[in-house]
Amino acid sequence: MEVSHLTVSNISKQFDKNEVIKNLAFTVEENEFVSILGPSGSGKSTIFSLIGGILSPDQGTIHLDHQVINGKRGYISYMPQTPSLLPWRTILENVLLGQELQGKKEKEAALEMIAIAGLTGYENAYPHELSGGMKQRASFIRALLSPQSIICLDEPFSALDELTRLDMQKWLLSIWEEHRRTILFVTHNIEEALFLSDRIIVLSNKPSQVAAEFHVPFSRPREESLFLEDEFLEWKRKIYYSLKKRS
């Protein structure tokens, strides 16, 4: 049987006597944008730690591109909630970091992405000279330029104000439409998940399992006006009540 791009097969994880994840199973196909929603404490960040090899599951397997990656690092590109740019490196040096760690350095591609992100003129600036939204763009460029085949984004816009967050969502979609990388995205925001995703996975309370799954019906490219459409609001209500059952 053909293995999906990412396949999480019945993984479980507990810390001491605290069972966080139990028999969790889902797939992410190549070039798909999948969001994970769940109640607070349902293990969303733990899932990323397991996929990224920082933690190993107590049972179950994680396959990526036909390989078992349980406990193995370096197979995903990861963007955390905060930009995590190195303060002593310029923006250009920061976005090239993922490539450098893999023994390559495509400076021209990085400069092109910096220009697309609206950061032209900041190539040699340092992180403290950028706004929060600009830092997030630089952090995402670093993730996008890294050679790994899947990008895991852990609530990357949660610390931004509402307008900056919307701008970043639209920017992320425009970049993703062009490059079509595989993305697994954790968020607490239902509207964000609906606006960005092909599919939404809803987790149960801990020990978390997949409680529901929704295929987002909206065509691409997506515009900001989608937020005000009746169908969008109906889907928001549907997912809200699904989440409320799990909390």
Coordinates of all heavy atoms in Angstrom, one line a residue, residues 174-245:
S174 N -0.5 33.4 -0.2 CA 0.0 33.8 -1.5 C 1.3 33.1 -1.8 O 1.5 32.6 -2.9 CB 0.2 35.3 -1.6 OG 1.2 35.8 -0.8
I175 N 2.1 33.0 -0.8 CA 3.4 32.3 -0.9 C 3.2 30.8 -1.1 O 3.8 30.1 -1.9 CB 4.3 32.5 0.3 CG1 4.7 34.0 0.4 CG2 5.6 31.7 0.2 CD1 5.5 34.5 -0.7
W176 N 2.3 30.2 -0.3 CA 2.0 28.8 -0.4 C 1.4 28.4 -1.7 O 1.7 27.4 -2.3 CB 1.0 28.4 0.7 CG 0.7 26.9 0.7 CD1 1.5 25.9 1.2 CD2 -0.5 26.3 0.2 NE1 0.9 24.7 0.9 CE2 -0.3 24.9 0.3 CE3 -1.6 26.8 -0.4 CZ2 -1.3 24.0 -0.1 CZ3 -2.6 25.9 -0.8 CH2 -2.4 24.6 -0.6
E177 N 0.5 29.3 -2.3 CA -0.1 29.0 -3.6 C 1.0 28.9 -4.7 O 0.9 28.1 -5.6 CB -1.1 30.2 -4.0 CG -2.4 30.2 -3.2 CD -3.4 29.1 -3.6 OE1 -3.1 28.4 -4.6 OE2 -4.4 29.0 -3.0
E178 N 2.0 29.7 -4.5 CA 3.1 29.7 -5.5 C 4.0 28.5 -5.4 O 4.4 27.9 -6.3 CB 3.9 31.0 -5.4 CG 5.0 31.1 -6.4 CD 5.7 32.5 -6.4 OE1 5.2 33.4 -5.7 OE2 6.7 32.6 -7.0
H179 N 4.3 28.1 -4.1 CA 5.4 27.1 -3.9 C 4.8 25.7 -3.5 O 5.5 24.7 -3.6 CB 6.3 27.6 -2.8 CG 7.1 28.7 -3.2 ND1 8.3 28.6 -3.9 CD2 6.9 30.1 -3.1 CE1 8.8 29.8 -4.1 NE2 8.0 30.7 -3.7
R180 N 3.5 25.7 -3.0 CA 2.8 24.4 -2.7 C 3.7 23.4 -1.9 O 3.8 22.3 -2.3 CB 2.3 23.8 -4.0 CG 1.2 24.5 -4.6 CD -0.1 24.2 -3.9 NE -1.2 25.0 -4.4 CZ -2.5 24.7 -4.2 NH1 -2.8 23.7 -3.4 NH2 -3.5 25.5 -4.7
R181 N 4.2 23.9 -0.8 CA 4.9 23.0 0.1 C 3.8 22.3 1.0 O 2.7 22.8 1.2 CB 5.9 23.7 1.0 CG 7.0 24.3 0.3 CD 8.0 23.3 -0.2 NE 8.7 22.7 1.0 CZ 9.7 23.2 1.6 NH1 10.2 24.3 1.3 NH2 10.2 22.5 2.7
T182 N 4.1 21.1 1.6 CA 3.3 20.4 2.5 C 3.3 21.1 3.9 O 4.4 21.3 4.4 CB 3.7 19.0 2.7 OG1 3.7 18.4 1.4 CG2 2.7 18.2 3.5
I183 N 2.2 21.5 4.4 CA 2.2 22.3 5.7 C 1.2 21.6 6.7 O 0.1 21.3 6.3 CB 1.7 23.7 5.5 CG1 2.8 24.5 4.7 CG2 1.4 24.4 6.8 CD1 2.5 26.0 4.4
L184 N 1.7 21.4 7.9 CA 0.9 21.0 9.0 C 0.9 22.2 10.0 O 1.9 22.6 10.5 CB 1.5 19.8 9.7 CG 0.6 19.1 10.8 CD1 -0.8 18.7 10.3 CD2 1.3 17.9 11.4
F185 N -0.3 22.7 10.3 CA -0.5 24.0 11.0 C -1.3 23.8 12.2 O -2.4 23.3 12.2 CB -1.2 24.9 10.0 CG -1.3 26.4 10.4 CD1 -0.3 27.3 9.9 CD2 -2.3 26.8 11.1 CE1 -0.5 28.7 10.3 CE2 -2.5 28.2 11.5 CZ -1.5 29.1 11.0
V186 N -0.7 24.2 13.4 CA -1.5 24.2 14.6 C -2.0 25.6 14.9 O -1.3 26.6 14.8 CB -0.6 23.7 15.8 CG1 -1.1 24.1 17.1 CG2 -0.4 22.2 15.8
T187 N -3.3 25.7 15.3 CA -3.9 27.0 15.6 C -5.0 26.8 16.6 O -5.6 25.7 16.7 CB -4.4 27.7 14.4 OG1 -5.0 29.0 14.8 CG2 -5.4 26.9 13.6
H188 N -5.4 27.8 17.4 CA -6.6 27.8 18.2 C -7.7 28.5 17.5 O -8.8 28.6 18.0 CB -6.3 28.5 19.6 CG -5.6 27.7 20.6 ND1 -4.2 27.7 20.8 CD2 -6.1 26.7 21.4 CE1 -3.9 26.9 21.7 NE2 -5.0 26.3 22.1
N189 N -7.4 29.1 16.4 CA -8.3 30.1 15.7 C -9.1 29.3 14.6 O -8.5 29.0 13.6 CB -7.5 31.3 15.2 CG -8.4 32.4 14.7 OD1 -9.2 32.2 13.8 ND2 -8.3 33.5 15.3
I190 N -10.4 29.2 14.8 CA -11.2 28.5 13.8 C -11.2 29.2 12.4 O -11.1 28.6 11.4 CB -12.6 28.3 14.3 CG1 -12.7 27.4 15.5 CG2 -13.5 27.7 13.2 CD1 -14.0 27.4 16.2
E191 N -11.4 30.5 12.5 CA -11.4 31.3 11.2 C -10.1 31.2 10.5 O -10.1 31.0 9.2 CB -11.6 32.8 11.5 CG -13.1 33.1 11.9 CD -13.3 34.6 12.0 OE1 -12.3 35.4 11.9 OE2 -14.5 35.0 12.0
E192 N -9.0 31.2 11.2 CA -7.6 31.0 10.6 C -7.5 29.7 9.9 O -7.1 29.6 8.8 CB -6.6 31.2 11.6 CG -5.1 31.1 11.1 CD -4.1 31.5 12.2 OE1 -4.0 30.8 13.2 OE2 -3.5 32.6 12.0
A193 N -8.0 28.6 10.6 CA -7.9 27.3 10.0 C -8.8 27.2 8.8 O -8.3 26.6 7.8 CB -8.4 26.3 11.1
L194 N -10.0 27.7 8.8 CA -10.9 27.7 7.6 C -10.3 28.5 6.4 O -10.4 28.0 5.3 CB -12.2 28.2 8.0 CG -13.2 27.3 8.6 CD1 -14.4 28.0 9.1 CD2 -13.6 26.2 7.7
F195 N -9.7 29.6 6.7 CA -9.2 30.5 5.7 C -8.0 29.9 5.0 O -7.8 30.0 3.8 CB -8.8 31.8 6.3 CG -8.4 32.9 5.2 CD1 -9.2 33.2 4.2 CD2 -7.2 33.5 5.4 CE1 -8.9 34.1 3.2 CE2 -6.8 34.5 4.4 CZ -7.6 34.8 3.4
L196 N -7.1 29.2 5.7 CA -5.9 28.7 5.2 C -5.9 27.3 4.6 O -5.2 26.9 3.7 CB -4.8 28.7 6.3 CG -4.4 30.1 6.8 CD1 -3.4 30.0 8.0 CD2 -3.8 31.0 5.8
S197 N -6.7 26.4 5.2 CA -6.5 25.0 5.1 C -7.3 24.3 3.9 O -8.3 24.7 3.5 CB -6.9 24.3 6.4 OG -6.3 24.9 7.5
D198 N -6.8 23.1 3.5 CA -7.5 22.2 2.7 C -8.3 21.2 3.6 O -9.4 20.8 3.2 CB -6.5 21.3 1.9 CG -5.7 22.1 0.9 OD1 -6.3 22.9 0.2 OD2 -4.5 21.9 0.9
R199 N -7.8 20.9 4.8 CA -8.4 20.0 5.7 C -8.1 20.4 7.1 O -7.1 20.9 7.4 CB -7.9 18.6 5.4 CG -8.7 17.5 6.0 CD -8.4 16.1 5.3 NE -7.0 15.9 5.0 CZ -6.2 15.2 5.7 NH1 -6.6 14.7 6.9 NH2 -4.9 15.0 5.3
I200 N -9.1 20.2 8.0 CA -9.0 20.5 9.4 C -9.2 19.3 10.3 O -10.2 18.6 10.1 CB -10.0 21.6 9.9 CG1 -9.7 22.9 9.1 CG2 -9.9 21.9 11.4 CD1 -10.8 24.0 9.3
I201 N -8.2 19.0 11.2 CA -8.3 17.9 12.1 C -8.6 18.4 13.5 O -7.9 19.3 14.0 CB -7.0 17.1 12.1 CG1 -6.7 16.4 10.8 CG2 -7.0 16.0 13.2 CD1 -5.3 15.8 10.6
V202 N -9.7 17.9 14.1 CA -10.1 18.4 15.4 C -9.7 17.3 16.4 O -10.1 16.1 16.2 CB -11.6 18.6 15.5 CG1 -12.0 19.0 16.9 CG2 -12.0 19.8 14.6
L203 N -9.0 17.6 17.4 CA -8.5 16.7 18.5 C -9.5 16.7 19.6 O -10.2 17.7 19.9 CB -7.2 17.1 19.0 CG -6.0 17.1 18.0 CD1 -4.7 17.5 18.8 CD2 -5.8 15.8 17.3
S204 N -9.6 15.5 20.3 CA -10.4 15.4 21.5 C -9.6 16.0 22.7 O -8.4 16.3 22.5 CB -10.7 13.9 21.8 OG -9.5 13.2 22.1
N205 N -10.2 16.1 23.8 CA -9.4 16.4 25.0 C -8.5 15.3 25.3 O -8.6 14.2 24.8 CB -10.3 16.7 26.2 CG -9.8 17.8 27.1 OD1 -8.6 18.0 27.2 ND2 -10.7 18.5 27.7
K206 N -7.5 15.5 26.2 CA -6.5 14.5 26.4 C -7.1 13.3 27.2 O -7.9 13.6 28.1 CB -5.2 15.1 27.1 CG -5.4 15.6 28.5 CD -4.1 16.1 29.0 CE -4.3 16.5 30.5 NZ -3.1 17.1 31.1
P207 N -6.6 12.1 27.0 CA -5.6 11.8 25.9 C -6.2 12.0 24.5 O -7.2 11.4 24.2 CB -5.2 10.3 26.2 CG -6.4 9.8 26.9 CD -7.0 10.9 27.7
S208 N -5.5 12.8 23.7 CA -6.1 13.2 22.5 C -6.1 12.1 21.4 O -5.1 11.4 21.3 CB -5.4 14.5 22.0 OG -4.1 14.2 21.6
Q209 N -7.2 12.2 20.6 CA -7.3 11.4 19.4 C -8.0 12.3 18.4 O -8.4 13.4 18.7 CB -8.2 10.1 19.7 CG -7.7 9.2 20.8 CD -8.7 8.1 21.1 OE1 -9.8 8.3 21.4 NE2 -8.2 6.8 20.9
V210 N -8.1 11.8 17.2 CA -8.8 12.6 16.2 C -10.3 12.4 16.4 O -10.8 11.3 16.3 CB -8.4 12.1 14.7 CG1 -9.3 12.8 13.7 CG2 -7.0 12.4 14.5
A211 N -10.9 13.5 16.8 CA -12.4 13.5 17.1 C -13.2 13.8 15.9 O -14.4 13.3 15.8 CB -12.7 14.5 18.2
A212 N -12.7 14.6 15.0 CA -13.5 14.9 13.8 C -12.5 15.4 12.7 O -11.3 15.8 13.0 CB -14.5 16.0 14.1
E213 N -12.9 15.4 11.5 CA -12.1 15.9 10.4 C -13.0 16.5 9.4 O -14.1 16.1 9.0 CB -11.4 14.7 9.7 CG -10.3 15.0 8.7 CD -9.6 13.8 8.2 OE1 -9.1 13.0 9.0 OE2 -9.5 13.7 7.0
F214 N -12.6 17.7 8.9 CA -13.4 18.5 7.9 C -12.6 18.8 6.7 O -11.5 19.3 6.8 CB -13.8 19.8 8.6 CG -14.7 19.6 9.8 CD1 -14.1 19.6 11.1 CD2 -16.1 19.5 9.7 CE1 -14.9 19.4 12.2 CE2 -16.8 19.3 10.9 CZ -16.2 19.3 12.1
H215 N -13.2 18.6 5.5 CA -12.6 19.0 4.3 C -13.1 20.4 3.9 O -14.3 20.5 3.8 CB -12.9 18.0 3.2 CG -12.2 16.7 3.3 ND1 -11.0 16.4 2.7 CD2 -12.4 15.6 4.1 CE1 -10.5 15.2 3.1 NE2 -11.4 14.7 3.9
V216 N -12.3 21.3 3.9 CA -12.7 22.7 3.7 C -13.1 22.9 2.2 O -12.4 22.6 1.3 CB -11.5 23.7 4.0 CG1 -12.0 25.1 3.8 CG2 -11.1 23.5 5.5
P217 N -14.4 23.4 2.0 CA -14.9 23.4 0.6 C -14.6 24.6 -0.2 O -15.0 24.6 -1.4 CB -16.4 23.4 0.9 CG -16.6 24.2 2.2 CD -15.4 23.8 3.0
F218 N -13.9 25.6 0.3 CA -13.7 26.9 -0.4 C -12.6 26.7 -1.4 O -11.5 26.2 -1.2 CB -13.4 28.0 0.6 CG -14.4 28.1 1.7 CD1 -14.0 27.9 3.0 CD2 -15.7 28.3 1.5 CE1 -14.9 27.9 4.1 CE2 -16.7 28.4 2.5 CZ -16.3 28.2 3.8
S219 N -12.9 27.2 -2.6 CA -11.9 27.2 -3.7 C -10.8 28.1 -3.5 O -10.9 29.1 -2.7 CB -12.6 27.5 -5.1 OG -13.1 28.8 -5.0
R220 N -9.7 27.9 -4.2 CA -8.5 28.8 -4.1 C -8.3 29.5 -5.4 O -8.8 28.9 -6.5 CB -7.3 28.0 -3.7 CG -7.3 27.3 -2.4 CD -6.0 26.6 -2.1 NE -6.0 25.8 -0.8 CZ -5.8 26.3 0.4 NH1 -5.6 27.6 0.5 NH2 -5.8 25.6 1.5
P221 N -7.7 30.7 -5.4 CA -7.2 31.4 -4.3 C -8.3 32.0 -3.5 O -9.4 32.2 -4.0 CB -6.4 32.5 -5.0 CG -7.0 32.7 -6.3 CD -7.5 31.3 -6.7
R222 N -8.0 32.3 -2.2 CA -9.0 32.8 -1.2 C -8.8 34.3 -1.0 O -7.7 34.7 -0.8 CB -9.0 32.0 0.0 CG -9.5 30.5 -0.2 CD -9.4 29.7 1.0 NE -9.7 28.3 0.6 CZ -9.4 27.2 1.4 NH1 -8.8 27.4 2.6 NH2 -9.7 26.0 1.0
E223 N -9.9 35.0 -0.9 CA -9.9 36.4 -0.6 C -10.4 36.7 0.8 O -11.1 36.0 1.4 CB -10.7 37.2 -1.7 CG -10.3 36.9 -3.1 CD -8.9 37.4 -3.4 OE1 -8.4 38.3 -2.8 OE2 -8.3 36.9 -4.4
E224 N -10.0 37.9 1.3 CA -10.4 38.4 2.6 C -11.9 38.4 2.7 O -12.5 38.2 3.8 CB -9.8 39.8 2.8 CG -10.1 40.3 4.2 CD -9.4 41.7 4.3 OE1 -8.5 42.0 3.5 OE2 -9.8 42.4 5.3
S225 N -12.7 38.7 1.6 CA -14.1 38.7 1.7 C -14.8 37.4 2.1 O -15.9 37.4 2.5 CB -14.7 39.1 0.3 OG -14.2 38.2 -0.7
L226 N -14.0 36.3 2.0 CA -14.5 35.0 2.4 C -15.0 35.0 3.9 O -16.0 34.3 4.2 CB -13.4 33.9 2.2 CG -13.8 32.5 2.6 CD1 -14.9 32.0 1.7 CD2 -12.5 31.6 2.5
F227 N -14.3 35.8 4.7 CA -14.7 35.8 6.2 C -16.1 36.2 6.4 O -16.7 35.9 7.4 CB -13.8 36.8 6.9 CG -12.4 36.3 7.1 CD1 -11.3 36.7 6.3 CD2 -12.1 35.3 8.1 CE1 -10.0 36.2 6.5 CE2 -10.8 34.8 8.3 CZ -9.8 35.3 7.5
L228 N -16.7 37.0 5.4 CA -18.1 37.5 5.6 C -19.2 36.7 4.9 O -20.3 37.0 5.0 CB -18.1 39.0 5.1 CG -17.1 39.9 5.8 CD1 -17.2 41.3 5.2 CD2 -17.4 40.0 7.3
E229 N -18.8 35.7 4.2 CA -19.8 34.9 3.5 C -20.5 34.0 4.4 O -20.0 33.4 5.4 CB -19.1 34.1 2.4 CG -18.5 34.9 1.3 CD -17.9 34.1 0.2 OE1 -18.1 32.9 0.2 OE2 -17.2 34.7 -0.7
D230 N -21.8 33.8 4.1 CA -22.7 32.9 5.0 C -22.1 31.5 5.1 O -22.2 31.0 6.2 CB -24.1 32.9 4.4 CG -24.8 34.2 4.5 OD1 -24.4 35.0 5.4 OD2 -25.8 34.5 3.8
E231 N -21.6 30.9 4.0 CA -21.1 29.6 4.1 C -19.9 29.5 5.0 O -19.8 28.5 5.8 CB -20.8 29.1 2.7 CG -20.4 27.6 2.7 CD -20.0 27.1 1.3 OE1 -19.9 27.9 0.4 OE2 -19.8 25.9 1.2
F232 N -19.1 30.5 5.0 CA -17.9 30.5 5.9 C -18.4 30.5 7.4 O -17.9 29.8 8.2 CB -17.1 31.7 5.6 CG -15.8 31.8 6.4 CD1 -14.6 31.2 5.9 CD2 -15.7 32.4 7.6 CE1 -13.4 31.3 6.6 CE2 -14.5 32.4 8.3 CZ -13.4 31.9 7.8
L233 N -19.4 31.4 7.7 CA -19.9 31.5 9.0 C -20.6 30.2 9.5 O -20.5 29.8 10.6 CB -20.9 32.6 9.1 CG -20.2 34.0 8.9 CD1 -21.3 35.1 8.9 CD2 -19.2 34.3 9.9
E234 N -21.3 29.5 8.5 CA -21.9 28.2 8.8 C -20.8 27.2 9.2 O -21.0 26.4 10.2 CB -22.7 27.7 7.6 CG -24.0 28.5 7.5 CD -24.7 28.1 6.2 OE1 -24.4 27.0 5.6 OE2 -25.6 28.8 5.7
W235 N -19.7 27.1 8.4 CA -18.6 26.2 8.7 C -18.0 26.6 10.1 O -17.6 25.7 10.8 CB -17.6 26.2 7.6 CG -18.0 25.3 6.5 CD1 -18.8 25.5 5.4 CD2 -17.6 23.9 6.4 NE1 -18.9 24.4 4.7 CE2 -18.2 23.4 5.2 CE3 -16.9 23.0 7.2 CZ2 -18.1 22.0 4.9 CZ3 -16.7 21.7 6.8 CH2 -17.3 21.2 5.7
K236 N -17.8 27.8 10.3 CA -17.3 28.2 11.6 C -18.1 27.7 12.8 O -17.6 27.2 13.8 CB -17.1 29.8 11.7 CG -16.5 30.3 13.0 CD -16.4 31.8 13.0 CE -15.9 32.3 14.3 NZ -15.8 33.8 14.4
R237 N -19.4 27.8 12.6 CA -20.3 27.3 13.7 C -20.2 25.8 13.8 O -20.1 25.3 15.0 CB -21.8 27.7 13.4 CG -22.2 29.1 13.8 CD -23.6 29.3 13.8 NE -24.2 29.2 12.4 CZ -24.3 30.3 11.6 NH1 -23.9 31.5 12.0 NH2 -24.8 30.1 10.4
K238 N -20.1 25.1 12.7 CA -20.0 23.7 12.7 C -18.8 23.2 13.5 O -18.8 22.3 14.3 CB -20.0 23.1 11.3 CG -20.0 21.6 11.2 CD -19.8 21.2 9.7 CE -20.9 21.6 8.8 NZ -20.8 21.1 7.5
I239 N -17.6 23.8 13.2 CA -16.4 23.5 13.8 C -16.3 23.9 15.3 O -15.8 23.2 16.1 CB -15.2 24.0 13.0 CG1 -15.2 23.4 11.6 CG2 -13.9 23.8 13.7 CD1 -14.2 24.0 10.7
Y240 N -16.9 25.1 15.5 CA -17.0 25.5 16.9 C -17.7 24.5 17.8 O -17.3 24.2 18.9 CB -17.7 26.9 17.0 CG -18.0 27.4 18.4 CD1 -17.1 27.9 19.2 CD2 -19.3 27.2 18.9 CE1 -17.4 28.3 20.5 CE2 -19.6 27.6 20.2 CZ -18.7 28.2 21.0 OH -19.0 28.5 22.3
Y241 N -18.9 24.1 17.4 CA -19.7 23.1 18.2 C -18.9 21.8 18.3 O -19.0 21.1 19.3 CB -21.1 22.9 17.6 CG -21.9 24.1 17.9 CD1 -22.5 24.9 16.8 CD2 -22.2 24.6 19.2 CE1 -23.3 26.0 17.1 CE2 -23.0 25.7 19.5 CZ -23.5 26.4 18.4 OH -24.2 27.5 18.7
S242 N -18.2 21.4 17.2 CA -17.4 20.2 17.3 C -16.3 20.3 18.3 O -16.1 19.4 19.1 CB -16.8 19.9 15.9 OG -15.9 18.8 16.0
L243 N -15.7 21.5 18.4 CA -14.6 21.7 19.4 C -15.2 21.8 20.8 O -14.7 21.3 21.8 CB -13.9 23.0 19.1 CG -12.7 23.0 18.3 CD1 -12.2 24.4 17.9 CD2 -11.5 22.2 18.9
K244 N -16.4 22.4 20.9 CA -17.0 22.6 22.2 C -17.3 21.2 22.9 O -17.2 21.0 24.1 CB -18.3 23.4 22.1 CG -18.8 24.0 23.4 CD -19.9 25.0 23.2 CE -20.3 25.6 24.6 NZ -21.4 26.6 24.4
K245 N -17.7 20.2 22.0 CA -18.0 18.9 22.5 C -16.7 18.3 23.2 O -16.8 17.4 24.0 CB -18.4 18.0 21.4 CG -19.8 18.3 20.9 CD -20.1 17.3 19.8 CE -21.4 17.6 19.1 NZ -21.6 16.7 17.9

